[in-house]
Amino acid sequence: MTTSIILSPNTDAELEALLLKARHRISVLVYSTAWCKNCKRLSSGLEKLADELKAVATFIHVDVDELEKTVQRYNIESLPTFQLFRGHVLQTSISAAQLPRKTTPEESDDQLLGWIATTVASFSKHWNASYSKITDHLAFSPTPTEYQIKEGLVKVGFKSVIGTESKQNPGEYNAKEGDLWREHGIEYVSYPIESVDEISLHDFDEILQLVETLPGPILFHSDIGQIAAIFVFAMVAKQNARKGSEVPEWARELGFDFDGLGKLTQTISAWVDK
């Protein structure tokens, strides 16, 4: 499926490099192989769609016979399968096997291509409010506007929201933000932070307690997303028994730079390891 529009890495490492390069865009991974008849039937439609969406999305063909580590990592069991990524982070996916059994081949093609087009359009429309999903349970974003909450984020499936805006800049609608989320059955907790420099071990403990108590998935947000990202990466590292010293490099691989955090980097490492 290699074309001028759809990229086709030859190794798992090349795929990782492509995802990293496109970390500020949407990446659509297309899992298929030469012997897949349904995949062949979709190829022309995919190429056309990739061309139409090239301003916002990068399409990448994953040959399941060649990139075996990637296939195993994401447990790809049927073809074709499509995944949407931001950076190294999987956001959502669909496969032909998820469609109704009575679906004709033509209907299946239309539904799969339609899902890709609709989902990419939705993600790109709300990308400024957009969130970075680090695990199925935790995500972070910059402070969303009222419009972005109502028209985008409440439709994603979050069950809880933790606002970590700085006390000096609480946001344009902070007083009513809780009501906006609760109108849609989403729990909201405000945990204002004085500044990045003032985040303490106690703050990480308090946030962990919230994460363990609130229903997920949980969205963290803060002024430009930095404080929210710090908490999310620390929580995930703690829950997955990562070493604190590994957190900055791991975050960098996912498109978030810990450089410039000064002593906070040491605080994060100490908390994750304790």
Side-chain angles (χ1 to χ4, degrees):
M1 194 179 289
T2 304
T3 70
S4 59
I5 299 297
I6 301 177
L7 305 178
S8 189
N10 295 313
T11 66
D12 297 282
E14 286 184 13
L15 172 60
E16 290 294 305
L18 286 175
L19 290 174
L20 183 59
K21 184 178 180 180
R23 64 183 179 273
H24 299 304
R25 291 166 53 84
I26 300 165
S27 293
V28 180
L29 268 58
V30 181
Y31 289 84
S32 67
T33 196
W35 47 260
C36 173
K37 294 181 180 180
N38 291 336
C39 303
K40 289 181 179 179
R41 193 180 61 247
L42 269 170
S43 60
S44 61
L46 275 172
E47 185 169 357
K48 180 180 178 181
L49 187 60
D51 188 44
E52 292 173 354
L53 298 175
K54 63 185 178 183
V56 294
T58 299
F59 280 65
I60 304 173
H61 171 232
V62 179
D63 189 324
V64 298
D65 290 331
E66 298 293 334
L67 278 64
E68 295 181 356
K69 289 183 179 179
T70 300
V71 171
Q72 293 174 3
R73 178 181 181 184
Y74 294 109
N75 195 30
I76 304 301
E77 297 180 339
S78 63
L79 300 177
T81 289
F82 305 93
Q83 294 178 326
L84 267 64
F85 277 73
R86 186 185 185 189
H88 284 66
V89 184
L90 174 63
Q91 304 293 330
T92 187
S93 65
I94 193 172
S95 70
Q98 295 173 253
L99 301 178
R101 290 187 177 182
K102 294 183 179 180
T103 303
T104 66
E106 292 74 18
E107 290 172 338
S108 173
D109 293 352
D110 289 343
Q111 289 183 34
L112 291 171
L113 294 173
W115 179 88
I116 296 171
T118 300
T119 307
V120 168
S122 177
F123 275 26
S124 61
K125 179 179 179 181
H126 301 292
W127 212 244
N128 288 335
S130 62
Y131 57 95
S132 293
K133 182 180 177 183
I134 304 305
T135 69
D136 288 339
H137 191 69
L138 296 176
F140 66 86
S141 77
T143 300
T145 64
E146 181 175 346
Y147 173 82
Q148 290 166 334
I149 290 176
K150 290 182 176 180
E151 299 301 321
L153 290 172
V154 297
K155 302 175 183 179
V156 172
F158 293 114
K159 300 297 183 184
S160 303
V161 174
I162 300 176
T164 57
E165 277 67 28
S166 67
K167 294 177 181 178
Q168 295 91 343
N169 181 24
E172 63 182 81
Y173 59 87
N174 191 57
K176 62 178 180 179
E177 183 188 357
D179 292 335
L180 290 174
W181 292 109
R182 294 183 190 107
E183 284 175 8
H184 297 275
I186 299 170
E187 294 194 34
Y188 173 77
V189 175
S190 177
Y191 192 94
I193 297 295
E194 195 71 44
S195 69
V196 170
D197 293 336
E198 299 300 321
I199 297 176
S200 66
L201 293 173
H202 174 73
D203 290 319
F204 285 111
D205 287 337
E206 291 291 305
I207 291 294
L208 178 60
Q209 186 173 356
L210 288 174
V211 168
E212 293 176 341
T213 303
L214 292 169
I218 301 172
L219 173 69
F220 281 75
H221 69 65
S222 61
D223 306 330
I224 59 173
Q226 184 183 44
I227 292 174
I230 289 167
F231 280 125
V232 168
F233 279 109
M235 297 301 116
V236 175
K238 185 82 164 180
Q239 293 171 337
N240 289 276
R242 281 182 176 268
K243 293 181 179 179
S245 59
E246 297 174 349
V247 176
E249 182 59 32
W250 169 53
R252 193 174 296 110
E253 289 176 356
L254 297 181
F256 182 82
D257 198 344
F258 267 45
D259 291 344
L261 294 184
K263 66 177 183 180
L264 180 57
T265 302
Q266 298 176 351
T267 302
I268 295 169
S269 180
W271 182 79
V272 170
D273 288 338
K274 78 170 187 174

